[in-house]
Amino acid sequence: MRAEGSETSVPSSDDAILIARAVATAIRPETGLETTQVSLLGAVIEALLDVRVDLDSLDPLQAEELAQTLAGYSDELRQRVVHLMVLGELVLRPIPPTVARRVAAYADELEINDQFVRIARRYAQGGFGLAWLDLHQSGFAEHWEMARMDQLKTTVKLEHQLAAGVEDRALADVWAAFEHHAPGTLGRGIWDMYRGRGFGLPGSIGGASPYLAQHDFVHVLADYGTNLNGELEVFSLIARADPDPKGFAWIATLIGLFETGYVADAGFFSGDLEERRLESPEMHSRIADALSRGRVLCDRVQTDLLELDYHALADRPIGDVRAELGFEPKSPSATAAGSPGAFDLAGMSKTQQAYSASLDT
Amino acid sequence: MRFAQRISVRCSDPDALLELLAEWDAGQSRSEIMGYIGTRLLADRDDPGAYMILAEFAEVDGDITAADEAAGNNQREETERWATKLRELVEGEPEWIHYDELYRTGITGNLRTR
């Protein structure tokens, strides 16, 4: 155990094991850990805490013991440990109230007052509408009020982070000009992505809001596809790269939209439960790697990736921008798990693939 | 067991009614978790001007019933303030009826259940 006051956010390997034991204890339903919990959390813990564990075979660790273990660590680490627990319960359908209460008890013992713990409890209660209001308000709206806006290149004020795009000719012209950047630059990359998939440019009718379009630059830089699995990867990276733990709202929202159905519609994406996305160990590896890459970016950039001015970097080669910002390459495990690149056909949805094919004929 | 509170009212300004409920929900979403989990506002198609507010409650800690959570909610000052505003919007005295939930289709209606 580290001495009190050291305030570090990097646990020792011994303490990482204790964290894993506490996470497994906190999120365990009465019927035992579910396969997805074991595989996803195992991959995430290995990627973020650098220890390989089988969550299902660990000895329990109670909240008081975890609090003692983490006494000398930073508030941020303790909050992120709580988020591991919340991640472990958010993949359950439904969330047993006993699990939600147990996670809340761990958070209390760690003296972490976290809105995502509350949101999971609302899910467990069946209060999905109230949970969405809570998630929107706590995870996005408050964050939005503090965010800077000049990087978006628009004078049209958005009501909130998740608001739909509105027509803005000047903004559309800025985005259309990306076509004229040299091949291999960030600007041309984003243009190619939009053109190749038929995405409406921000500022044009039907286009994304300039705020949400920021995440498309991250698709190009992180080399993630634009189908729903790619969105899970890119928003996992963005979430963990945010120095504010509220970035976890992206993960909570996307899991709710695309895995559990806890979120029906988030404005920018509608729920899609057609496929099970978090059942495969491959997706667990991909998400874990995205979180790991996000953690590196968090340390290097120290700014929410959605607040960066990518327009100022648009004429630079993509490789240079990656190096400057500190994007790590995908891990061998994520690549082996089939994580497609931003321009790979496999990284597109069926609709995007069909649109792309129509351009070739 | 969940619990529901039905409030039947007559009102000539449903937008104000809706706004009152949305304002309540916004406040509840930011507060610590309690028994209240949401509301529906329903308009009577056969009786214009008649509305039903259905407020739902669930257990929080497992040892206090949803009905007791609702009873506790009724004692809160903000609930009383809300009820005062409601009375200002509606004609006559609202009718309050309390129900224990015996059945609900599926888990939530929207969740993945397979």
Side-chain angles (χ1 to χ4, degrees):
Chain A
M1 185 189 304
R2 291 180 184 274
E4 278 193 44
S6 60
E7 288 295 302
T8 177
S9 290
V10 183
S12 66
S13 55
D14 285 348
D15 287 347
I17 296 284
L18 295 176
I19 290 169
R21 286 173 52 194
V23 170
T25 311
I27 66 174
R28 183 184 298 273
E30 288 179 15
T31 50
L33 288 172
E34 293 197 356
T35 307
T36 299
Q37 289 181 301
V38 173
S39 175
L40 175 62
L41 269 294
V44 169
I45 286 171
E46 182 176 356
L48 297 181
L49 302 180
D50 207 23
V51 290
R52 180 173 290 191
V53 291
D54 175 7
L55 286 188
D56 214 11
S57 62
L58 293 174
D59 290 330
L61 190 85
Q62 302 306 321
E64 300 79 10
E65 297 171 272
L66 179 67
Q68 289 169 15
T69 301
L70 298 184
Y73 288 100
S74 66
D75 288 350
E76 181 194 344
L77 177 75
R78 286 183 286 119
Q79 187 162 13
R80 292 199 187 276
V81 168
V82 170
H83 285 176
L84 285 175
M85 295 176 181
V86 175
L87 177 62
E89 57 178 334
L90 285 185
V91 297
L92 296 173
R93 301 172 307 277
I95 299 174
T98 50
V99 171
R101 285 198 288 271
R102 198 184 308 125
V103 169
Y106 275 78
D108 286 345
E109 199 64 45
L110 294 176
E111 298 181 356
I112 296 297
N113 183 8
D114 186 272
Q115 65 268 32
F116 301 107
V117 172
R118 187 175 67 207
I119 287 161
R121 294 198 68 188
R122 293 197 195 284
Y123 287 155
Q125 273 189 308
F128 299 97
L130 213 54
W132 170 243
L133 290 177
D134 197 355
L135 179 56
H136 189 267
Q137 178 65 30
S138 305
F140 296 110
E142 288 177 4
H143 202 74
W144 179 244
E145 286 164 12
M146 295 182 289
R148 50 186 282 272
M149 290 294 129
D150 55 310
Q151 80 281 20
L152 303 183
K153 311 305 173 194
T154 178
T155 55
V156 180
K157 182 173 169 53
L158 296 167
E159 283 184 31
H160 54 79
Q161 266 177 316
L162 308 183
V166 295
E167 192 172 6
D168 177 354
R169 197 61 253 169
L171 177 67
D173 288 345
V174 168
W175 276 75
F178 286 147
E179 179 184 7
H180 306 299
H181 285 291
T185 60
L186 178 59
R188 182 57 176 271
I190 198 83
W191 168 263
D192 289 342
M193 171 181 281
Y194 271 62
R195 180 180 174 279
R197 290 160 173 79
F199 292 169
L201 294 176
S204 66
I205 295 171
S209 81
Y211 179 79
L212 286 168
Q214 290 280 90
H215 94 277
D216 289 321
F217 290 104
V218 184
H219 272 290
V220 173
L221 291 168
D223 200 24
Y224 287 137
T226 51
N227 55 17
L228 296 186
N229 286 345
E231 299 297 350
L232 279 165
E233 288 178 296
V234 81
F235 278 108
S236 295
L237 182 147
I238 289 168
R240 186 56 188 82
D242 190 343
D244 186 337
K246 278 184 179 165
F248 189 79
W250 291 113
I251 297 174
T253 301
L254 264 69
I255 289 176
L257 282 166
F258 303 144
E259 178 63 17
T260 58
Y262 293 148
V263 179
D265 193 305
F268 59 108
F269 288 125
S270 293
D272 185 334
L273 306 178
E274 194 174 327
E275 290 179 34
R276 300 303 300 265
R277 301 184 186 284
L278 291 184
E279 271 199 339
S280 75
E282 288 78 16
M283 271 310 292
H284 303 159
S285 293
R286 290 166 61 177
I287 289 172
D289 182 54
L291 291 168
S292 176
R293 297 173 80 197
R295 181 186 57 173
V296 172
L297 285 162
C298 180
D299 292 340
R300 292 179 179 168
V301 181
Q302 298 185 351
T303 303
D304 179 358
L305 293 182
L306 300 184
E307 291 186 25
L308 293 182
D309 185 352
Y310 296 103
H311 293 259
L313 303 168
D315 61 351
R316 305 266 304 279
I318 291 169
D320 288 2
V321 179
R322 284 177 181 152
E324 181 175 316
L325 294 178
F327 276 82
E328 293 279 302
K330 291 179 186 177
S331 71
S333 62
T335 305
S339 175
F343 295 98
D344 294 339
L345 203 60
M348 298 184 196
S349 68
K350 287 176 183 169
T351 305
Q352 293 164 7
Q353 288 178 2
Y355 183 86
S356 179
S358 74
L359 295 177
D360 298 333
T361 56
Chain B
M1 180 189 293
R2 286 188 186 165
F3 173 85
Q5 189 172 56
R6 191 189 90 185
I7 310 167
S8 297
V9 296
R10 296 201 68 83
C11 180
S12 58
D13 187 357
D15 288 343
L17 211 49
L18 199 152
E19 191 177 327
L20 181 67
L21 292 170
E23 186 184 310
W24 170 263
D25 278 344
Q28 295 308 299
S29 73
R30 290 191 293 269
S31 70
E32 283 312 304
I33 193 156
M34 284 179 276
Y36 173 77
I37 60 170
T39 292
R40 278 183 288 168
L41 172 63
L42 305 171
D44 190 330
R45 292 179 67 97
D46 298 324
D47 185 4
Y51 296 91
M52 182 172 79
I53 299 165
L54 198 62
E56 294 186 299
F57 297 81
E59 293 177 3
V60 178
D61 290 321
D63 47 5
I64 299 175
T65 66
D68 286 342
E69 289 286 351
N73 181 67
N74 287 344
Q75 305 304 316
R76 294 160 60 204
E77 281 186 21
E78 64 183 301
T79 308
E80 290 180 9
R81 283 196 298 273
W82 181 86
T84 300
K85 287 183 185 175
L86 176 68
R87 288 190 176 92
E88 289 169 359
L89 283 178
V90 304
E91 301 158 20
E93 180 64 13
E95 181 187 20
W96 309 74
I97 303 181
H98 302 128
Y99 299 92
D100 289 324
E101 180 176 304
L102 304 182
Y103 175 78
R104 175 182 294 247
T105 303
I107 299 176
T108 67
N110 189 46
L111 285 187
R112 182 196 293 285
T113 53
R114 61 187 166 82

